[in-house]
Amino acid sequence: MDMGASGEGNRLDDEAFQLAFDKCSGGQIYVPSGVYLLSPFNLTSNTELYLDYGATLLATTNFSAWPIVEPLPSYPDTYNGGRCGPFIGGTDIVNASIRGHGTIDGQGAAWWQAESGSLPYGRGRLIEPMFCRNFTLLGVTVANPPFWGVHPYACDGVLIDNVIFKAPVGSPNTDGIDPDSCSNVVIRNLTASCGDDAIAIKSGRDQYGREFNMPSYNILIEGGSIGSSRGIDIGSEMSGDVYNVRVKDVSFTRSEFAVRIKSARGRGGRVHNITFENLSLDHNVHGIAINMNYGSNDPSPPLDEATPHVYDITYRNITGTALNAGFFEGLTESACHNIVLENVNISARRFECYRAYGHAVNVSP
């Protein structure tokens, strides 16, 4: 059924898209080839948004059209009681999906240039399902988010497969996919190049994340190619815990890091039962890293609920080239424990290790 969208990209198609969602109470919304300029909107339960070849959803750069929504409960309120909502959202929905071969373009450049004090509520995420069950993102290209690209928040059952994510090198905070306090997540065959982390697994920040108390766990990242970016990270916002994560069969080319765990004093939380295996590196800056002092120069405090802990981390079958093989840096009051390296051979000039303990077999340098 034709809802009357122009698909020309020079005027808003909000009315036609809203009509499509209103009429589709479960089923598929088909978007043919064309450029659709849109204000932010929400997905609905049991509905698939299908973008055909040549279809582009273009986010409006009229900042006032983006809604102001409640702060996330697991993060401090830094914007006076609100934050900029996402381009594509959806809260407490089930079985929602975005699929096809088209593109979702956030037109982030307008936001990046305006960041210096002119955005009272910060920059919005591009796609942000919240408190959802069974969310799928399949086959599409996601580009140029104002802030983080795909941010599933407090979701159970997330599948992201064969997605291309791209943003210019140096574009601020343009993470690709950030599962945050999510469980049972599969990210497969991602191709990414961006200004920040290609993937960052999170679970809230500092006391807010600990009080929210919703970990990220049972996460598989499999296959794919990571280009210019900061690689695949856990943290630094990991205060609600991250565990049972496996990253395998991924290639990294000219990324700042391949895989990194990062935390800081004040975060609290635990990162454990993490496996990185069958990874290939090609001219990266760093290979593997654990940084428990990320962005922090605070003096060593006593052990308390704000002390982060990292343990039971395995690196297996990792090869390739990097300027530096990497580093492990635990805290004086909380060293990294049970770090296992097996068949990790990176052609690089050095590897540094401080306050990290475990064992290594067939490792160089």
Side-chain angles (χ1 to χ4, degrees):
M1 183 182 297
D2 187 349
M3 299 299 172
S6 74
E8 296 175 356
N10 55 11
R11 64 180 178 87
L12 288 171
D13 279 318
D14 294 351
E15 186 176 342
F17 268 71
Q18 189 57 57
L19 182 61
F21 276 100
D22 290 345
K23 288 184 175 293
C24 183
S25 57
Q28 185 188 82
I29 296 173
Y30 170 78
V31 183
S33 178
V35 179
Y36 302 88
L37 181 64
L38 297 169
S39 302
F41 64 95
N42 288 319
L43 302 172
T44 57
S45 290
N46 303 310
T47 300
E48 176 183 274
L49 181 62
Y50 184 90
L51 308 182
D52 208 346
Y53 289 100
T56 297
L57 305 188
L58 207 60
T60 180
T61 56
N62 176 7
F63 301 157
S64 64
W66 290 60
I68 305 306
V69 299
E70 292 288 324
L72 295 170
S74 59
Y75 288 85
D77 176 14
T78 56
Y79 293 109
N80 303 313
R83 65 185 183 95
C84 190
F87 174 53
I88 301 177
T91 301
D92 292 314
I93 57 176
V94 297
N95 303 326
S97 66
I98 303 172
R99 187 169 68 88
H101 308 280
T103 298
I104 300 168
D105 190 333
Q107 297 204 94
W111 297 82
W112 310 329
Q113 295 162 8
E115 175 64 6
S116 56
S118 61
L119 299 171
Y121 293 102
R123 292 171 280 142
R125 283 76 166 166
L126 192 56
I127 303 171
E128 187 179 60
M130 296 178 56
F131 303 99
C132 297
R133 286 187 293 111
N134 301 334
F135 172 75
T136 299
L137 184 67
L138 179 63
V140 299
T141 295
V142 178
N144 304 315
F147 191 61
W148 298 341
V150 183
H151 182 223
Y153 182 81
C155 296
D156 178 52
V158 175
L159 172 63
I160 298 173
D161 197 354
N162 279 297
V163 167
I164 297 171
F165 180 81
K166 54 187 181 182
V169 174
S171 52
N173 309 110
T174 52
D175 289 13
I177 300 172
D178 290 0
D180 196 335
S181 293
C182 288
S183 55
N184 303 311
V185 176
V186 175
I187 302 171
R188 185 179 288 127
N189 301 322
L190 173 69
T191 300
S193 177
C194 58
D196 209 322
D197 303 323
I199 298 173
I201 301 170
K202 305 175 182 291
S203 64
R205 182 176 174 181
D206 300 345
Q207 70 183 69
Y208 304 90
R210 297 194 301 272
E211 291 169 357
F212 188 59
N213 193 29
M214 184 172 284
S216 281
Y217 64 97
N218 294 350
I219 296 175
L220 172 65
I221 300 170
E222 181 179 29
S225 176
I226 308 301
S228 296
S229 67
R230 290 179 178 163
I232 296 177
D233 278 7
I234 297 174
S236 69
E237 303 92 336
M238 40 57 72
S239 303
D241 297 347
V242 177
Y243 58 91
N244 294 355
V245 175
R246 188 180 186 192
V247 179
K248 57 176 290 192
D249 303 328
V250 181
S251 65
F252 300 84
T253 303
R254 301 189 183 278
S255 60
E256 184 175 344
F257 291 87
V259 291
R260 175 174 54 162
I261 297 169
K262 55 185 181 181
S263 183
R265 292 185 172 107
R267 291 284 191 262
R270 298 173 181 271
V271 175
H272 61 100
N273 196 18
I274 313 295
T275 299
F276 303 106
E277 62 183 336
N278 303 336
L279 309 181
S280 64
L281 284 57
D282 184 3
H283 291 89
N284 289 9
V285 179
H286 302 281
I288 60 179
I290 299 174
N291 185 357
M292 295 185 66
N293 200 32
Y294 180 77
S296 171
N297 292 310
D298 295 338
S300 175
L303 284 169
D304 60 18
E305 70 277 1
T307 304
H309 299 272
V310 175
Y311 56 94
D312 295 349
I313 314 296
T314 298
Y315 301 86
R316 181 184 298 119
N317 300 333
I318 300 174
T319 61
T321 59
L323 183 61
N324 301 300
F327 62 91
F328 295 156
E329 182 182 358
L331 299 175
T332 303
E333 69 277 16
S334 180
C336 308
H337 286 283
N338 196 23
I339 311 301
V340 177
L341 294 90
E342 299 176 350
N343 302 323
V344 177
N345 294 280
I346 301 172
S347 179
R349 62 186 184 186
R350 66 173 182 265
F351 186 88
E352 299 177 274
C353 186
Y354 309 97
R355 298 172 294 278
Y357 303 95
H359 71 268
V361 177
N362 186 25
V363 171
S364 66

